[in-house]
């Protein structure tokens, strides 16, 4: 039924205009402020919600054949998607966790880590831990929520740049998002293409592992160039580390991200009260502050879903998909076409799971035309959607990372982090090598 609905839409490139409006406002103003006007934290001063509101206004003005009430219904249907609701709940729960455990807990974890290993390798450890945790939990957003505060504390304690620490965590988080058996992207790609998860995992692992290894080497090289400042043997409280230990163990075991975060919230609240670090009133205030800190992020997810609902209704995505289908020839070109297809839809939706679900019908048809196996198609969908999702400045992963850092009292912008996102870039290179250089296996 979904495939039929996709083909019923008339391709309409003009329907993609709202995305262009957002990019011009957000990127254009950000570049102007940051690099032309030399405004400190220029990108940080751009109201991303305002940019999306302007884009939605443009989308609402388009297609006058559709009444405004009908447009509201279309937007409501987009917002009501299960993935959007799940994402928002993760945002708010994550905010509560950060609010309860606070900055002191993150610093305790950082100082404890630095007391066990040479400070020179702290960022590399963050990347490796993020890879394991995200693979176990199946969520990059949850992993980023848990580890970015630790990365921020490591940066402050040891002298590593904050963007390097945050970018390393985000790269490791996208590694697991691409590979995990319980990741929404894996489930969506495998179900859409009709392949077993273990087969898709094998396809992905051969591409992802080299990218992860080279990323780790780059992090070690950059770490070696940093002149560490200050002493890292600062006081830490082992008891305050417990909430992070519990959530990390929960992630490695593979417990649901909501359960993991709730365990962190309750254990953190109990420890803060028992240790006398917070009163009941302070705890409630911090809880509310942490949740409030995620309001903008949640609003962005809602607005993106609403805008994409209209774009899809107007035929914008059909125009995007039709263009991809007619540009590529041959099996290798077909594989690249599938990758570009899902990457462009992800850039438009800012949600890799939604992008895979939307691209699945066309990708399956392309797979038949180009004789690409279901496991390879599923791997391409998951890999290329993770590449784009891990880089775009308005994606959930980037927004959650920035929110978590800002919640702890630091300031950072997306465009400070993007150059340090080694893993997504290397994953793209690895994917292209496996498409164009590595000899095809049978039944690929």
């Amino acid at each position: 039924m979904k495939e039929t609905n996709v083909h019923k839409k008339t391709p309409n490139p003009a329907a993609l205009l709202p995305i262009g409006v957002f990019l011009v406002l957000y990127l254009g103003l950000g570049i102007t402020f940051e690099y032309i006007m030399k405004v400190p934290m220029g990108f940080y001063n751009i109201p991303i919600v305002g940019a999306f509101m302007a884009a939605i206004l443009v989308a609402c003005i388009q297609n006058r054949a559709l009444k405004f009430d009908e447009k509201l219904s279309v937007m409501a249907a987009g917002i009501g998607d299960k993935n959007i609701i799940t994402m928002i709940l993760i945002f708010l729960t994550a905010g509560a966790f950060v609010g309860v455990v606070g900055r002191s807990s993150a610093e305790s974890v950082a100082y404890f880590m630095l007391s066990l290993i040479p400070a020179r390798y702290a960022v590399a450890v963050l990347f490796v831990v993020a890879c394991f945790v995200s693979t176990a939990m199946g969520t990059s957003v949850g992993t980023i929520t848990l580890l970015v505060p630790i990365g921020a504390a490591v940066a402050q304690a040891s002298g590593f740049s904050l963007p390097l620490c945050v970018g390393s965590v985000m790269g490791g988080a996208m590694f697991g998002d691409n590979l995990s058996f319980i990741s929404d992207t894996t489930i969506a790609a495998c179900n859409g293409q009709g392949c077993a998860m273990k087969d898709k995992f094998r396809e992905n692992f051969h591409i992802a592992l080299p990218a992860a290894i080279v990323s780790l080497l780059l992090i070690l090289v950059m770490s070696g160039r940093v002149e560490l400042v200050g002493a890292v043997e600062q006081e830490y409280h082992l008891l305050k580390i417990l909430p992070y230990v519990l959530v990390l163990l929960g992630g490695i075991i593979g417990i649901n991200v909501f359960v993991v975060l709730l365990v962190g919230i309750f254990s953190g609240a109990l420890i803060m009260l028992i240790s006398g670090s917070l009163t009941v009133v302070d705890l409630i205030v911090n809880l509310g502050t942490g949740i409030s800190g995620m309001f903008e992020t949640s609003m962005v997810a809602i607005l993106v879903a609403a805008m994409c609902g209209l774009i899809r209704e107007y035929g914008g995505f059909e125009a995007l998909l039709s263009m991809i289908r007619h540009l590529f020839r041959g099996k290798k070109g077909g594989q690249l076409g599938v990758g570009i297809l899902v990457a462009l839809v992800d850039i438009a939706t800012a949600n890799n799971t939604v992008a895979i679900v939307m691209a699945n019908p066309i990708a399956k048809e392309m797979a038949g035309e180009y004789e690409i196996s279901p496991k390879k198609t599923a791997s391409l969908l998951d890999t290329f959607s993770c590449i784009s999702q891990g880089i775009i400045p308005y994606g959930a992963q980037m927004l959650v990372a920035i929110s978590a850092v800002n919640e702890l009292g630091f300031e950072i912008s997306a465009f400070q982090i993007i150059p340090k996102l080694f893993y997504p870039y290397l994953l793209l290179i690895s994917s292209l090598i496996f498409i164009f250089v590595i000899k095809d296996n049978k039944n690929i």
Side-chain angles (χ1 to χ4, degrees):
M1 182 178 295
K2 288 183 179 178
E3 187 172 358
T4 302
N5 289 338
V6 170
H7 287 289
K8 279 185 176 179
K9 299 295 181 185
T10 302
N12 180 19
L16 299 172
L17 179 61
I19 299 174
V21 170
F22 167 77
L23 292 175
V24 168
L25 287 176
Y26 186 68
L27 299 183
L29 289 175
I31 292 172
T32 301
F33 283 14
E34 187 87 26
Y35 300 107
I36 298 177
M37 299 177 64
K38 304 297 182 181
V39 176
M41 296 297 294
F43 279 102
Y44 179 73
N45 292 321
I46 306 301
I48 190 170
V49 171
F52 272 116
M53 286 292 290
I56 288 180
L57 177 61
V58 171
C60 287
I61 293 173
Q62 289 181 300
N63 193 4
R64 297 187 179 182
L66 201 65
K67 295 180 180 179
F68 183 68
D69 283 345
E70 294 174 327
K71 293 176 181 177
L72 290 176
S73 297
V74 171
M75 288 190 284
I79 295 171
D81 184 90
K82 176 186 174 183
N83 292 304
I84 302 302
I85 300 300
T86 302
M87 187 189 307
I88 293 172
L89 290 176
I90 290 178
F91 287 162
L92 298 179
T93 309
F97 173 72
V98 173
V100 168
V101 299
R103 184 171 178 172
S104 61
S105 293
E107 289 178 344
S108 290
V109 173
Y111 297 136
F112 179 64
M113 288 173 58
L114 293 173
S115 70
L116 294 178
I117 61 172
R120 182 68 61 191
Y121 307 112
V123 183
V125 169
L126 282 174
F127 175 75
V128 173
V129 170
C131 288
F132 279 107
V133 172
S134 59
T135 303
M137 292 179 66
T139 167
S140 54
V141 172
T143 302
I144 289 168
T145 300
L146 301 179
L147 296 183
V148 161
I150 300 176
V154 166
Q156 185 184 45
S158 60
F160 289 109
S161 74
L162 183 57
L164 176 62
C165 292
V166 176
S168 298
V169 171
M170 289 183 63
M174 296 314 298
F175 174 87
D177 193 286
N178 181 218
L179 286 177
S180 176
F181 281 86
I182 60 175
S183 169
D184 286 347
T185 59
T186 295
I187 295 170
C190 292
N191 288 349
Q193 299 304 314
C195 72
M197 291 188 183
K198 62 179 181 179
D199 293 333
K200 179 260 183 188
F201 176 85
R202 293 192 188 104
E203 289 288 333
N204 274 24
F205 187 74
H206 295 141
I207 299 172
L209 183 61
I213 292 174
V214 177
S215 297
L216 181 61
L217 293 175
L218 279 176
I219 291 170
L220 289 171
V221 169
M222 293 199 68
S223 298
R225 296 176 179 177
V226 175
E227 182 178 351
L228 300 182
V229 296
V232 296
E233 296 85 6
Q234 298 190 37
E235 181 182 359
Y236 57 85
H237 304 279
L238 284 175
L239 190 60
K240 291 184 178 180
I241 296 175
L242 185 59
Y244 282 105
V245 172
L246 291 176
V247 295
L248 289 176
L249 288 176
I252 293 173
I253 294 171
I255 299 175
N256 181 278
V257 62
F258 289 110
V259 176
V260 169
L261 289 173
L262 287 174
V263 168
I265 291 170
F266 286 116
S267 62
L270 185 62
I271 289 171
M272 290 298 177
L273 292 175
I274 292 177
S275 64
S277 300
L278 293 174
T279 65
V280 174
V281 174
D282 292 334
L283 183 65
I284 294 174
V285 170
N286 288 353
L287 182 70
T289 301
I291 294 174
S292 299
M294 291 294 181
F295 282 176
E296 181 180 71
T297 305
S298 301
M299 185 56 65
V300 167
I302 292 172
L303 294 176
V304 167
M307 181 181 72
C308 290
L310 289 175
I311 293 173
R312 182 169 55 248
E313 180 68 23
Y314 297 166
F317 290 124
E318 179 60 23
L320 196 64
L321 302 181
S322 297
M323 177 183 66
I324 294 294
R325 292 177 64 195
H326 290 91
L327 279 178
F328 299 95
R329 297 291 184 271
K331 180 178 287 189
K332 293 182 182 295
Q335 293 177 49
L336 180 61
V338 170
I340 293 178
L341 160 70
V342 73
L344 290 178
V345 177
D346 179 71
I347 291 171
T349 60
N351 186 305
N352 47 348
T353 304
V354 173
I356 291 172
V357 171
M358 293 179 62
N360 258 328
I362 299 298
K364 193 166 187 177
E365 185 172 333
M366 291 175 66
E369 293 175 2
Y370 295 110
E371 299 181 347
I372 308 171
S373 68
K375 63 181 181 180
K376 184 64 177 180
T377 307
S379 173
L380 290 167
L381 288 171
D382 203 348
T383 301
F384 276 84
S385 66
C386 281
I387 291 170
S388 56
Q389 186 68 23
I391 297 172
I392 55 176
Y394 50 91
Q397 289 75 8
M398 184 69 74
L399 295 174
V400 137
I402 293 173
S403 296
V405 171
N406 293 340
E407 191 71 26
L408 294 171
F410 302 99
E411 287 189 348
I412 196 171
S413 74
F415 291 89
Q416 290 175 297
I417 301 172
I418 287 175
K420 308 299 182 183
L421 295 171
F422 306 132
Y423 177 73
Y425 302 131
L426 290 168
L427 183 61
L428 174 60
I429 294 173
S430 181
S431 299
L432 294 176
I433 290 174
F434 269 81
I435 290 175
F436 292 106
V437 178
I438 304 297
K439 185 177 180 180
D440 287 351
N441 295 321
K442 63 180 181 178
N443 301 323
I444 191 169

